[in-house]
Amino acid sequence: MFLSPFATEAVMTIEAAMTPEAPVIAPALEMRGITKRYPGVVANDHIDVEVRPGEIHALLGENGAGKTTLMNILYGLARPDEGVILLDGRETTIAGPSDAIARGINMVHQHFMLVPVFTVAENILLGEETMAGPIFLDRKEAHRRIVELGKRFGFEIDPEAKVGSLSVGWQQRVEILKALYRDARILVLDEPTAVLTPQETQEIFAVLRRLAQEGHSIVFISHKLYEVLDIADRITVIRRGKVVGQRLPSETDEDDLAALMVGRNVQLTVDRGDSKPADVALEVRGLEVKDDRGSVVVQGVDLDVRSGEILGIAGVAGNGQDELVEAIVGLRRPSGGRITLRGQDVTRASPRAVNEAGVAYVPADRHRFGLVLSFPLADNLVLTDYYRRPYARGVLRNDQAIEASAQERIREYDVRTPSATVRASTLSGGNQQKLVVAREFARDLALLVLDQPTRGLDVGSIEFIHRQTIAKRDAGTAVLLVSAELDEVLELSDRIAVMYRGRIVAIRDGRTADKNEIGLLMATGGQARAAAPVAETGPAA
Ligand code: ATP
């Protein structure tokens, strides 16, 4: 096997360290006493973490615990108020992301950091032109290296494939390749599996294991405890900015990690109880919806959701679920079919009209549809009803009422923030999600539409939102739940509809549904000899 000069050096160091007389090798990365204060919050409070060469080190912590802040400090995006960073035992100052990259530190972002209309190679080389300086980039050589790197880590990739045509799992590989292309020694993966199917996750894990074998150090951030137990060599848990414990996967389990993270015992699965479905609240007939490119992505969909029941939609991401819910909440005009809410035709209703008819919506993309990041939290909490009493008196805002309601919801939903006046952009990702949920769950509803409601949330927050969802159902709300997490759909749904290539291919009872059968339906649509589903197709196929 061909090893890069760095990998060869790392292997030699590891081998040397194994001989009895050898000195103990320095960690690849050591962060000592890292402290970072923001107004009203200590995001990192004297954090110590070390990552060895060839180690996969998981960083766990509830929403707002300070994981992203710590990694931003490592990547030079934020300056610590106190503390030092050591690379290979040498104290280092990291001036910014390009300095971090030059020192072999790379962030592997989720797929949306890539430019969809660019090819794999163009995305990987983005920014390299400037780094290459006056020397012109040898594209042929670059392509050769990309293919070779892919092979070395177990996948074949076509550098000419357009990134937009790749499944999210393959886009994730492109992100990893981009880091490897820059000779990364330390890779930080911030929730890399949030949008992946279990199978794609396993494929990415295989890549990560190979990277570790070659001596790379990996910092892995995830809220999925079973994944952390599966992939990590060591686990560091942070709570409210402080390290509260370190574990080896062999000496812990999900309950222990959850309790350590949240500071109390967490019920990892909720009891959904019995539902009492009443009249049909949402009726969808023959619905056809196109995506932004004009392709029909929802075809002939018929659905009923009754008041007092949760209908879950299971499906591999990208099979038309997002477009279906966007049509239901008025954000996307259907090209055919009919949507009725409590007997009222809302097929072409505006988002505001749908909202006023009693529909709440927690979108998959909270930045695009859920929040105005530059607005304070209090304003975000009244985005859909700022013009109504008690938040408005005629044309005037009632700031007192807005502030009072914000305080109450922030407390009830445990949104971690120093105050209701800070901008939504300063919240951690999970707390932004809780803010959207706090707004949307707040009133009496006819229909609650949830698209990936717990993506990026910690176990304590998931428990809370699942309970609230069931409470809404028990209060007579019809709930439409879309989730790429099959376990979440199985746990919460009274009925499950499987969506495949824009169609509902099966409906099952939520209490008796078989996980394997649903998984198979998601992957094949129920046709025994079906080709691989769209979202699974790799670029080299
Ligand atoms: P999540 O799992 O939700 O992504 P996290 O562990 O990554 O959470 P951080 O994003 O590091 O959490 O946030 C830690 C704390 O620091 C939070 O209270 C957050 O509101 C605060 N914070 C982070 N960045 C800023 C900023 N630029 N200005 C003000 N406060 C900030």
Side-chain angles (χ1 to χ4, degrees):
M1 181 170 60
F2 167 78
L3 291 181
S4 72
F6 150 66
T8 316
E9 191 185 311
V11 170
M12 279 161 51
T13 325
I14 294 167
E15 278 168 359
M18 284 169 178
T19 58
E21 69 279 6
V24 179
I25 48 165
L29 165 69
E30 207 182 335
M31 298 181 84
R32 259 193 226 157
I34 300 289
T35 298
K36 178 75 187 174
R37 298 178 193 93
Y38 287 114
V41 48
V42 186
N44 287 170
D45 191 353
H46 298 92
I47 289 189
D48 294 325
V49 191
E50 54 158 68
V51 188
R52 299 166 188 154
E55 181 186 25
I56 303 182
H57 194 114
L59 213 51
L60 263 183
E62 58 184 339
N63 297 129
K67 307 172 296 286
T68 306
T69 302
L70 189 69
M71 290 304 107
N72 283 345
I73 288 170
L74 175 63
Y75 204 47
L77 285 168
R79 282 284 153 80
D81 298 316
E82 287 169 40
V84 288
I85 298 175
L86 291 91
L87 295 176
D88 299 321
R90 278 186 291 273
E91 201 174 314
T92 311
T93 308
I94 296 162
S98 46
D99 189 26
I101 291 167
R103 293 172 192 277
I105 302 165
N106 255 266
M107 292 266 193
V108 175
H109 296 285
Q110 290 183 3
H111 66 283
F112 29 77
M113 296 299 288
L114 300 169
V115 186
V117 294
F118 282 9
T119 65
V120 169
E122 284 164 347
N123 268 287
I124 290 175
L125 297 174
L126 207 64
E128 291 288 314
E129 283 92 342
T130 42
M131 286 194 174
I135 308 155
F136 206 65
L137 254 182
D138 182 348
R139 281 178 192 279
K140 226 166 136 184
E141 169 58 16
H143 280 208
R144 195 195 56 73
R145 251 192 89 199
I146 290 168
V147 172
E148 184 191 289
L149 272 174
K151 276 200 186 129
R152 208 166 99 213
F153 293 100
F155 50 92
E156 281 184 30
I157 196 147
D158 173 9
E160 292 301 325
K162 283 262 190 307
V163 160
S165 70
L166 304 182
S167 69
V168 282
W170 277 94
Q171 293 188 14
Q172 190 65 261
R173 287 178 182 80
V174 176
E175 281 284 5
I176 293 177
L177 268 184
K178 189 169 172 145
L180 295 175
Y181 192 90
R182 295 156 157 187
D183 282 331
R185 314 188 294 120
I186 298 168
L187 275 96
V188 179
L189 294 105
D190 194 351
E191 292 192 52
T193 61
V195 290
L196 302 187
T197 62
Q199 203 219 341
E200 285 172 326
T201 300
Q202 283 309 321
E203 287 164 11
I204 290 294
F205 280 5
V207 175
L208 298 186
R209 289 193 181 102
R210 279 203 192 203
L211 285 168
Q213 271 164 16
E214 285 210 8
H216 291 80
S217 303
I218 295 166
V219 180
F220 182 86
I221 301 176
S222 172
H223 287 294
K224 297 183 189 171
L225 304 179
Y226 55 91
E227 285 185 357
V228 165
L229 288 168
D230 181 6
I231 190 78
D233 297 311
R234 275 193 304 163
I235 305 163
T236 294
V237 183
I238 302 177
R239 188 184 337 134
R240 298 193 180 225
K242 289 194 169 89
V243 173
V244 289
Q246 200 168 69
R247 296 281 191 272
L248 296 175
S250 56
E251 61 180 34
T252 183
D253 58 22
E254 286 192 46
D255 287 325
D256 173 47
L257 289 175
L260 197 57
M261 267 171 72
V262 181
R264 63 175 169 88
N265 286 329
V266 178
Q267 212 186 324
L268 292 171
T269 48
V270 289
D271 177 12
R272 86 186 113 187
D274 288 328
S275 62
K276 295 186 190 62
D279 298 341
V280 172
L282 173 74
E283 187 185 275
V284 175
R285 289 291 175 269
L287 195 70
E288 184 184 287
V289 188
K290 292 181 177 158
D291 66 6
D292 293 338
R293 285 178 282 185
S295 314
V296 176
V297 288
V298 174
Q299 303 186 48
V301 164
D302 294 333
L303 273 183
D304 286 338
V305 190
R306 292 179 177 272
S307 299
E309 78 161 344
I310 300 174
L311 178 81
I313 297 194
V316 173
N319 273 274
Q321 303 95 314
D322 289 349
E323 289 82 1
L324 171 68
V325 297
E326 283 166 26
I328 291 170
V329 300
L331 283 166
R332 197 175 277 275
R333 272 281 150 89
S335 44
R338 192 165 43 88
I339 305 169
T340 317
L341 187 72
R342 289 189 171 168
Q344 182 194 344
D345 187 337
V346 291
T347 316
R348 287 174 209 295
S350 67
R352 183 187 275 200
V354 174
N355 179 275
E356 287 182 344
V359 178
Y361 172 46
V362 175
D365 186 343
R366 58 180 163 255
H367 290 170
R368 200 163 146 219
F369 294 128
L371 295 169
V372 182
L373 290 175
S374 57
F375 280 13
L377 304 198
D379 288 17
N380 272 289
L381 283 167
V382 293
L383 271 190
T384 48
D385 46 10
Y386 64 91
Y387 56 90
R388 281 198 287 246
R389 289 177 72 86
Y391 309 122
R393 280 197 222 108
V395 290
L396 295 178
R397 268 168 69 103
N398 181 352
D399 283 327
Q400 235 177 346
I402 293 175
E403 172 73 20
S405 139
Q407 294 294 357
E408 198 184 312
R409 291 192 222 171
I410 285 170
R411 192 176 33 76
E412 191 185 344
Y413 284 81
D414 192 24
V415 180
R416 299 283 166 86
T417 175
S419 84
T421 54
V422 302
R423 289 166 185 230
S425 59
T426 67
L427 290 188
S428 75
N431 279 295
Q432 288 175 350
Q433 182 71 355
K434 286 200 257 178
L435 194 66
V436 177
V437 170
R439 182 185 65 221
E440 297 298 318
F441 277 51
R443 55 200 173 103
D444 287 335
L445 299 170
L447 173 69
L448 175 58
V449 180
L450 304 173
D451 195 356
Q452 321 296 347
T454 58
R455 183 182 283 170
L457 290 191
D458 66 50
V459 282
S461 307
I462 292 175
E463 176 197 35
F464 181 76
I465 285 172
H466 282 178
R467 284 196 180 159
Q468 294 292 323
T469 304
I470 289 165
K472 278 281 175 214
R473 176 200 73 181
D474 291 346
T477 302
V479 181
L480 179 66
L481 164 74
V482 174
S483 177
E485 297 287 341
L486 182 51
D487 286 333
E488 178 166 57
V489 173
L490 286 164
E491 229 174 82
L492 287 183
S493 309
D494 300 304
R495 286 187 303 136
I496 299 172
V498 183
M499 199 160 177
Y500 176 76
R501 294 193 168 171
R503 295 180 187 276
I504 301 296
V505 293
I507 294 196
R508 296 286 182 266
D509 184 287
R511 284 164 185 78
T512 54
D514 174 60
K515 186 175 180 181
N516 291 332
E517 193 218 2
I518 302 273
L520 198 67
L521 285 164
M522 284 166 61
T524 66
Q527 303 130 29
R529 287 186 301 108
V534 230
E536 291 285 324
T537 311

